[in-house]
Amino acid sequence: MNEDLRNVVLGVLATGVSGSLGWLTRTYFWRRRLRRKQAFFGLPSGSECLLVVNRLAGSERGVHATDVSALLELSALIKDCGARPRIVQHDTARQGLGEIAEFCIGGPFSNRRMAAHLPNLLPGLTMNVEQEPPEDRGMFTVAGETYRPEWGVSEYVVLARLTRGEGARPVFLLCGQAAVTNQAAARHLARNYRALSGKYGLDGSFVLLLRVVNSQAYGPDVVELVADLTRVARTPQAAPAAT
């Protein structure tokens, strides 16, 4: 009887120890993943970040419904890091670079802050903001290559992580040719941040050109990587030779 009781007690103790070790291991890896995620997004627990929203075409204060969806996806990501977002309109953002993390959404035609970021942070990349001719509207130009949208069929978005200024908190740019491309960039970032942090580092910069395929049928879900523009987009364009 004593032998049986001892075996039962030892079994209970072994189960308790193994369960505790399993819980401690899972907690360790969960905290490690969380710290890496916070470092990549520049969002330590209790911190604040900037969500800069663009305007709806033809409206001064309205926001496109699809851009609202992008904001929701980014807000969920920020909440997972234990941080809190501060949402501001593009024309009221008065914040330096590097002080707090920032997510800037929309092209320069609808987002004044993006219009300031592109020549400052990505001098090698331009985006056409003219309405005419229609086929060139929203066209990206970088390293002599042009990327024109085929609306609803093939549209492009630049997804970038950049650091500048004191504090070196990152600025994320989601600069798309259409609202659906902005949401596609937000979803791509949320789904692939581990791969991106593994490739570029927790504090590295990157500039990616993505293509949204057949958004009329698939929405923001089917995305292809077109090019890594990290070097060329951050290098100022050479001035044209004098004639």
Side-chain angles (χ1 to χ4, degrees), residues 68-92:
V68 173
S69 298
L71 287 173
L72 292 175
E73 299 207 28
L74 292 174
S75 296
L77 185 154
I78 294 165
K79 183 179 179 181
D80 286 344
C81 291
R84 58 186 184 278
R86 175 157 55 94
I87 300 176
V88 296
Q89 286 281 345
H90 67 104
D91 54 351
T92 62

Side-chain angles (χ1 to χ4, degrees), residues 10-232:
L10 290 175
V12 171
L13 290 174
T15 301
V17 170
S18 62
S20 298
L21 289 175
W23 178 83
L24 289 172
T25 301
R26 289 192 298 270
T27 302
Y28 168 78
F29 284 110
W30 174 80
R31 288 180 176 174
R32 183 173 180 270
R33 287 195 297 267
L34 176 60
R35 287 194 299 269
R36 291 179 62 84
K37 185 175 184 179
Q38 291 174 328
F40 177 74
F41 288 109
L43 298 171
S45 296
S47 64
E48 185 178 64
C49 74
L50 212 60
L51 272 178
V52 183
V53 299
N54 58 338
R55 65 177 176 82
L56 176 66
S59 170
E60 285 301 317
R61 293 296 172 189
V63 180
H64 196 287
T66 307
D67 285 327
V68 173
S69 298
L71 287 173
L72 292 175
E73 299 207 28
L74 292 174
S75 296
L77 185 154
I78 294 165
K79 183 179 179 181
D80 286 344
C81 291
R84 58 186 184 278
R86 175 157 55 94
I87 300 176
V88 296
Q89 286 281 345
H90 67 104
D91 54 351
T92 62
R94 301 290 187 272
Q95 185 77 43
L97 298 174
E99 298 176 16
I100 63 174
E102 175 182 341
F103 298 83
C104 191
I105 301 171
F109 40 83
S110 62
N111 188 321
R112 292 182 188 174
R113 190 163 174 88
M114 184 68 76
H117 281 331
L118 288 184
N120 184 31
L121 300 175
L122 302 178
L125 180 145
T126 61
M127 186 176 188
N128 182 39
V129 297
E130 302 298 330
Q131 296 296 316
E132 298 295 336
E135 60 270 18
D136 288 348
R137 181 161 45 95
M139 176 181 67
F140 287 113
T141 302
V142 58
E145 298 288 338
T146 57
Y147 301 91
R148 293 178 174 85
E150 296 179 56
W151 305 112
V153 177
S154 176
E155 296 142 316
Y156 297 92
V157 58
V158 170
L159 172 62
R161 181 192 191 275
L162 304 159
T163 55
R164 177 77 65 83
E166 296 183 4
R169 293 287 175 84
V171 176
F172 290 89
L173 305 182
L174 295 80
C175 180
Q177 294 174 332
V180 67
T181 62
N182 298 330
Q183 184 183 6
R187 187 164 295 180
H188 184 82
L189 180 63
R191 288 177 175 175
N192 297 284
Y193 74 89
R194 289 185 187 174
L196 292 171
S197 64
K199 181 175 182 179
Y200 299 100
L202 295 178
D203 57 354
S205 295
F206 60 80
V207 184
L208 306 178
L209 181 66
L210 307 175
R211 184 168 74 95
V212 181
V213 179
N214 199 351
S215 61
Q216 287 183 332
Y218 304 128
D221 284 328
V222 182
V223 176
E224 297 177 347
L225 174 64
V226 177
D228 185 332
L229 306 175
T230 304
R231 184 180 62 82
V232 294

